[in-house]
Amino acid sequence: MKLVVFGASGRIGTELVRQGVAAGHAITAVVREGSSLQVALPELRLVAARAGVTGGLVDVVTADVMNPQAIAPVLEGHDAVLSALGPRPSGSSTVLTDGAQSILQAMGESEVRRFLAVSVAGIHSTGDDPITKYVVKPILQRVLRESFADARRMEAVVGASELDWTIVCPARLTNGAAKGTVRSNTEGTVRGGFSMTRADVAAYLLGAIDNAAVFRKTVVIAN
């Protein structure tokens, strides 16, 4: 497939690019001014060669995700758009909400229908055990109130769209190799799911692109 990845210079974005190339996808990696991929293009070509694929390509584009007129031409001709934009850890932020609004507008102009966006599991509590729901989550809500508020607004914006969207909400993100096991829930949280490797998040996103069962669904995932 031909995929656009926003937030390609971040850690989940880097995994999306690396794994997407290894799977043979043609990736358009969008980075903001002053940023670059965290993985070198020669390394990506080596990844593709080792995987035995010939279609894995990367095109790096510098563009302002907050400008729908600037990114709409980038999206044309692609099969899906993936947003790995991350919330700011502290302070007031609207990056997720504003980014989603801009991407959705650009998708409407470029006639691309499939959109997958990364959110956070912490803003969801349906199905949590009592300690997590009444002790852990309230603490997180206070500490991360601005970024959580941004994630909630983003989910509302995406959820109101008529596109074929999927919101993916991973548990606490960790680094390291993919574990290869992902538990998911479209009706609430994953009981006992406290962490998720970024590599597994990327693998889930790529696997969900053509999974009609999660179209127009919010999915909480954890290892």
Side-chain angles (χ1 to χ4, degrees):
M1 289 180 285
K2 296 181 67 176
L3 310 176
V4 178
V5 176
F6 287 98
S9 61
R11 284 179 285 187
I12 292 178
T14 297
E15 285 291 339
L16 280 171
V17 173
R18 181 183 288 113
Q19 293 182 35
V21 168
H25 301 304
I27 307 292
T28 298
V30 182
V31 299
R32 65 181 183 273
E33 189 72 36
S35 295
S36 61
L37 293 182
Q38 295 186 27
V39 57
L41 293 182
E43 179 184 339
L44 290 172
R45 286 192 287 269
L46 181 59
V47 166
R50 286 175 174 170
V53 300
T54 58
L57 302 170
V58 177
D59 182 22
V60 182
V61 176
T62 300
D64 181 5
V65 68
M66 303 303 175
N67 184 344
Q69 285 71 41
I71 62 175
V74 177
L75 307 187
E76 292 179 359
H78 286 79
D79 299 302
V81 177
L82 299 92
S83 173
L85 298 174
R88 295 294 181 263
S90 62
S92 179
S93 175
T94 60
V95 64
L96 294 184
T97 306
D98 294 345
Q101 288 174 328
S102 178
I103 293 170
L104 291 172
Q105 181 178 333
M107 289 180 68
E109 296 174 6
S110 58
E111 300 184 348
V112 180
R113 289 200 54 81
R114 187 70 175 115
F115 179 52
L116 299 95
V118 176
S119 185
V120 292
I123 64 174
H124 300 280
S125 60
T126 301
D128 279 342
D129 62 83
I131 293 178
T132 301
K133 186 172 185 177
Y134 297 111
V135 179
V136 177
K137 289 286 178 71
I139 293 174
L140 290 176
Q141 296 286 348
R142 288 194 297 271
V143 174
L144 302 173
R145 60 183 179 276
E146 296 292 346
S147 59
F148 276 17
D150 186 25
R152 288 193 190 91
R153 291 191 297 267
M154 180 273 285
E155 291 194 13
V157 167
V158 175
S161 169
E162 296 182 355
L163 297 178
D164 296 326
W165 53 267
T166 299
I167 299 170
V168 177
C169 306
R172 181 179 60 85
L173 295 169
T174 63
N175 296 319
K179 297 182 178 180
T181 57
V182 178
R183 294 181 293 152
S184 64
N185 190 356
T186 59
E187 303 296 332
T189 58
V190 176
R191 183 68 72 95
F194 301 116
S195 64
M196 183 77 181
T197 70
R198 291 177 172 86
D200 282 313
V201 175
Y204 181 87
L205 286 163
L206 292 169
I209 292 172
D210 57 359
N211 182 4
V214 295
F215 280 20
R216 302 181 66 79
K217 297 282 188 179
T218 298
V219 188
V220 177
I221 59 174
N223 286 131

